[in-house]
Amino acid sequence: MNSRNLVKLFLTTLLIGGVTGGVVGFLARWSEFEPYFSSFEVSAILSTFIWLFGVGLIFSVISQAGFFAYLTIHRFGLGIFKSASLWNAVQIVLILFVIFDLVYLRYLNFGSGEGISSYIVLALVVLAAAMITAYFKMKQTNRQSFIPALFFMVVVTVLEWLPVLSANDESWLYFMLFPLIVCNAYQLLVLSKLIERSQKELASKKARKQTPAKEMKAGELGKGSS
């Protein structure tokens, strides 16, 4: 990918994270911000949105760091295991392990006196978003991309989500989760398009450089024949 499209990916993902953070922040913490809307305090609503937007930008940066880290890990995994099928099997095991931890270990730490259903629902939200994104990635590229996409959307998203998971504040759980999911899904789905666009731009650039050289050669041949 060329630097132009890399900068475009960074800025668009940043904007998506900020907007998603602003919208989801109001919804996830509605009980806290509802008085601003009921009394129509425009300045309070705008200042709160700007703050939520800024936090969304931070979530976006975390998402992008995780995405590029995974691209590196994925190449290492293919190199270490020497087989895409074996590396995919390892990723499936890690996905199952992370989903189990997301439910059971969180329930052991925070579920005193309450049922496990809410912890299962949260894990299912992550898994459902991951499977939908992986399906579209597979349709966009090939069947071999499904497991890596699923791994990224489950394992890497949960790792990025850890600071809030450890605090177990419900409003912040959803506030951080959805911007991460949206940013991760966007980067995953747009990557191949940006790479393809970069290749076309590079080919076009090479063609423009070669055209004057061919014209010069043609001119020299014309002079020689005259």
Side-chain angles (χ1 to χ4, degrees), residues 31-224:
S31 60
E32 182 180 345
F33 301 130
E34 189 271 337
Y36 299 161
F37 290 88
S38 60
S39 58
F40 202 65
E41 298 178 32
V42 177
S43 60
I45 293 171
L46 287 176
S47 61
T48 302
F49 180 81
I50 291 170
W51 180 79
L52 294 173
F53 184 91
V55 178
L57 295 182
I58 297 172
F59 294 160
S60 172
V61 171
I62 294 172
S63 167
Q64 294 186 65
F67 181 64
F68 286 102
Y70 172 69
L71 293 179
T72 304
I73 292 169
H74 183 61
R75 300 311 305 175
F76 274 120
L78 289 173
I80 291 171
F81 293 100
K82 308 296 183 183
S83 166
S85 59
L86 182 57
W87 172 227
N88 282 345
V90 172
Q91 290 181 96
I92 291 172
V93 172
L94 291 174
I95 290 168
L96 295 174
F97 180 75
V98 167
I99 291 294
F100 175 79
D101 281 355
L102 188 58
V103 176
Y104 187 67
L105 290 185
R106 287 189 65 244
Y107 176 70
L108 286 181
N109 289 328
F110 306 112
S112 58
E114 59 178 319
I116 198 173
S117 58
S118 61
Y119 297 89
I120 295 174
V121 168
L122 196 59
L124 288 176
V125 168
V126 175
L127 186 59
M131 293 192 73
I132 292 170
T133 305
Y135 171 79
F136 281 107
K137 182 65 177 180
M138 179 183 69
K139 298 291 287 185
Q140 187 184 73
T141 53
N142 52 59
R143 295 177 64 181
Q144 285 71 34
S145 65
F146 183 83
I147 297 302
L150 189 66
F151 177 88
F152 171 69
M153 289 300 298
V154 172
V155 176
V156 178
T157 298
V158 171
L159 288 175
E160 294 167 347
W161 197 23
L162 275 178
V164 172
L165 282 174
S166 59
N168 200 43
D169 184 323
E170 185 176 354
S171 61
W172 277 89
L173 282 174
Y174 291 102
F175 178 31
M176 187 175 190
L177 174 62
F178 286 103
L180 287 178
I181 287 176
V182 172
C183 289
N184 285 344
Y186 171 76
Q187 290 177 99
L188 195 62
L189 295 175
V190 82
L191 180 65
S192 56
K193 294 180 181 179
L194 290 179
I195 290 174
E196 183 179 351
R197 185 181 302 171
S198 297
Q199 291 172 342
K200 287 180 179 179
E201 290 175 355
L202 181 60
S204 176
K205 193 174 181 179
K206 286 182 178 179
R208 286 197 300 269
K209 286 183 178 179
Q210 290 172 356
T211 300
K214 289 180 180 178
E215 291 175 350
M216 287 179 62
K217 287 182 180 179
E220 291 172 359
L221 289 172
K223 288 179 182 179

